[in-house]
Amino acid sequence: WVFVWEKGYQETDSVVSSVTTKVKGVTLTNTSSLGARVWDVADYVIPPQEENSVFVMTNMIFTLNQTQGQCPELPDDKTECSKNNSCVPGYVSTHSNGIQTGKCVNYNDSIKTCEVFAWCPVEDDYHVPKPAFLQGAENFTILVKNNIWYPKFNFTKRNILPTINSTYLKNCIYDSKTDPFCPIFRLGKIVEAAGQNFQEMAVEGGVMGLQINWDCNLDRAASYCVPKYSFRRLDNKDTAHTVSPGYNFRFAKYYKDSSGVESRTLVKAYGIRFDIIVFGKAGKFDVIPTMINIGSGLALFGVATVLCDLVVLNCMKKKYYYREKKYKYVEDYEM
């Protein structure tokens, strides 16, 4: 077990890793608010680069042409009102879109809410678009470039193997059976391999883990040290606990017209964050662990003899018989 399975004759080291990513893909949407629009990498990858992860926007809520001013707050049990004294000037809560002015104004023909000083009109995110806005994101691809280093052995390698040429890299898509070493992954396949449905996940977002395992036996040729890819969903999807599901955040794009009036487009972005997790261990023959494990094994044999004697002489049914065979009692005639 120690020498064959656990390779007790080897010195081991943990992997040091760096990861860079590149997403590619284009899709088209056509809505009443935005019209026909093409989405490319600069639109849906936010921010352009992260450390060991990449976020791909799959769904969104737009609030167009917001300017700073006074407007009615979204209706809820704390903002609905019937008269001005129901609103407190200067009041702001954690979930407010702005600061109350103290006025009670019409939100629509049937509801009145407290007026706020905010970016107007305020965002209405009660209804998440379904199906997801960027359904075509399923066919986007992500190139993962991973460089690893085992400092104890001064061994370096990357997941774009020496056998991969530029022609193959332009055309391959990872497949566990046909292309297990291709570093380009289709987003839909990543989610599918983790047992999830991409279009369902794209609505409210989530977090996916792309795991790269580098377990290497450096007593063999370097060509045998290759990455193994696996996938799983990292955020908890529990149908019994549906409070604040998925993954989302907000950002805005700001504009100024010729008269100097500032406006913005507010985007509540839902999407999937892909975390690239690299782990692994390398081993190589070394005299010191070999001698330590040989010594430990010899000592263990000595302990085994003592333990066997204790069991046989105290626990077995025929312990008295064994005791008679093991020990010979003699009398001291002088006494």
Side-chain angles (χ1 to χ4, degrees):
W1 175 267
V2 172
F3 280 91
V4 177
W5 185 259
E6 294 293 335
K7 294 182 176 62
Y9 55 87
Q10 290 184 333
E11 182 75 15
T12 60
D13 194 14
S14 297
V15 69
V16 177
S17 166
S18 70
V19 173
T20 58
T21 60
K22 184 183 291 185
V23 180
K24 288 189 176 181
V26 177
T27 189
L28 173 69
T29 61
N30 194 354
T31 62
S32 57
S33 58
L34 296 176
R37 179 169 177 174
V38 172
W39 297 80
D40 63 12
V41 177
D43 296 314
Y44 57 73
V45 175
I46 308 162
Q49 281 293 314
E50 290 186 83
E51 184 177 355
N52 294 348
S53 65
V54 59
F55 174 83
V56 178
M57 182 169 62
T58 56
N59 204 7
M60 62 212 73
I61 296 175
F62 284 101
T63 308
L64 303 173
N65 302 320
Q66 284 188 319
T67 56
Q68 293 210 0
Q70 291 81 30
C71 53
E73 180 64 282
L74 286 178
D76 61 29
D77 55 348
K78 293 184 178 179
T79 60
E80 291 186 16
C81 60
S82 57
K83 49 189 177 181
N84 287 342
N85 59 9
S86 300
C87 304
V88 181
Y91 173 77
V92 58
S93 72
T94 306
H95 302 289
S96 297
N97 286 292
I99 301 172
Q100 290 188 11
T101 63
K103 297 180 180 178
C104 184
V105 297
N106 291 327
Y107 179 78
N108 56 32
D109 294 337
S110 59
I111 299 175
K112 284 188 172 184
T113 60
C114 293
E115 185 183 63
V116 290
F117 180 73
W119 285 95
C120 298
V122 296
E123 179 190 62
D124 183 359
D125 62 346
Y126 286 154
H127 302 289
V128 181
K130 193 172 183 179
F133 192 74
L134 297 182
Q135 298 179 59
E138 185 173 10
N139 296 313
F140 296 165
T141 61
I142 175 173
L143 167 64
V144 177
K145 293 190 284 187
N146 174 216
N147 292 271
I148 60 119
W149 175 42
Y150 286 107
K152 190 175 291 187
F153 310 121
N154 196 26
F155 178 84
T156 60
K157 200 165 187 178
R158 63 175 186 158
N159 66 327
I160 302 178
L161 302 178
T163 55
I164 295 177
N165 56 39
S166 57
T167 303
Y168 174 78
L169 194 62
K170 288 180 180 179
N171 298 284
C172 76
I173 297 291
Y174 172 84
D175 185 276
S176 59
K177 295 180 180 179
T178 60
D179 292 279
F181 302 121
C182 178
I184 299 175
F185 304 86
R186 182 171 167 266
L187 303 191
K189 287 289 186 181
I190 293 177
V191 177
E192 181 183 331
Q196 305 292 316
N197 183 286
F198 185 91
Q199 294 301 334
E200 290 180 3
M201 192 175 181
V203 173
E204 294 182 311
V207 182
M208 287 295 307
L210 194 162
Q211 301 169 312
I212 308 177
N213 183 13
W214 292 88
D215 277 342
C216 299
N217 182 358
L218 298 184
D219 289 329
R220 307 174 70 189
S223 59
Y224 288 99
C225 181
V226 293
K228 294 181 180 178
Y229 301 99
S230 59
F231 316 94
R232 63 167 297 169
R233 184 169 182 172
L234 300 180
D235 63 318
N236 184 28
K237 184 187 178 185
D238 188 349
T239 54
H241 300 87
T242 57
V243 177
S244 189
Y247 180 46
N248 65 78
F249 58 89
R250 291 176 176 83
F251 68 94
K253 297 181 179 180
Y254 294 86
Y255 312 92
K256 270 189 178 181
D257 61 19
S258 56
S259 60
V261 177
E262 186 180 37
S263 62
R264 75 177 188 183
T265 296
L266 178 65
V267 181
K268 184 175 183 181
Y270 298 83
I272 303 174
R273 192 181 77 199
F274 295 89
D275 289 341
I276 294 91
I277 305 166
V278 183
F279 58 97
K281 184 176 70 173
K284 192 173 185 179
F285 174 78
D286 191 88
V287 174
I288 294 175
T290 303
M291 298 306 297
I292 290 174
N293 282 307
I294 289 174
S296 300
L298 293 175
L300 189 61
F301 285 135
V303 174
T305 303
V306 176
L307 291 177
C308 288
D309 280 348
L310 289 174
V311 172
V312 170
L313 297 176
N314 296 282
C315 302
M316 303 291 287
K317 289 182 179 180
K318 296 182 179 181
K319 58 185 177 182
Y320 299 107
Y321 173 77
Y322 294 130
R323 190 182 296 272
E324 290 176 359
K325 293 296 182 182
K326 184 172 179 65
Y327 300 107
K328 185 175 183 179
Y329 296 93
V330 297
E331 295 181 0
D332 192 336
Y333 292 101
E334 292 181 0
M335 293 182 63

